[in-house]
Amino acid sequence: MNRKTPPIPDYEGLPIATLQHRIRSLDEEQMRELIAYEEHHGNRTGVLEILHQRLHGLEEGAEPSEGDQAFQPETPGPPQGGSPVGEDTTAPRQGLPPEGYPEARR
């Protein structure tokens, strides 16, 4: 089976830890599709090991868990609060010493 798109949105950019979480909602057929996709497109040994382990678990009776594939906890939100940096917290400018560069006095 050769898919043009994986059954998980944004699959190619997912960190491994997130991928392990996201594949838990897939059933056996979807796992086989994802394995075929990975073998055809990336063929990454570590990723395939994780996918095969999950497929084996499903074949042994594990159930897919509920979850929203669109949920992306790995995407940070905007920073909260402001920056404490301002004119009153900035270090004074460092210029030349009053006597200039020591090398220039030779």
Side-chain angles (χ1 to χ4, degrees):
M1 179 181 318
N2 181 11
R3 287 182 56 105
K4 293 186 190 230
T5 59
I8 296 177
D10 302 321
Y11 168 77
E12 290 86 359
L14 292 177
I16 294 238
T18 301
L19 177 63
Q20 286 178 303
H21 172 74
R22 301 273 295 272
I23 62 174
R24 293 185 178 277
S25 66
L26 303 180
D27 60 25
E28 285 185 49
E29 181 181 336
Q30 290 170 315
M31 283 303 305
R32 286 188 182 90
E33 290 174 8
L34 188 56
I35 290 169
Y37 179 88
E38 178 62 33
E39 287 173 342
H40 186 265
H41 291 89
N43 206 24
R44 298 168 289 179
T45 305
V47 172
L48 285 170
E49 183 177 323
I50 290 168
L51 300 180
H52 282 290
Q53 285 176 355
R54 179 60 181 161
L55 177 60
H56 179 72
L58 290 168
E59 291 170 340
E60 295 291 315
E63 293 288 326
S65 62
E66 292 185 20
D68 179 6
Q69 287 297 331
F71 180 66
Q72 297 183 11
E74 66 278 354
T75 306
Q80 299 294 316
S83 172
V85 176
E87 285 188 33
D88 57 330
T89 60
T90 304
R93 291 191 177 261
Q94 298 294 324
L96 292 176
E99 63 276 353
Y101 288 109
E103 299 86 27
R105 288 190 277 154
R106 293 183 193 169

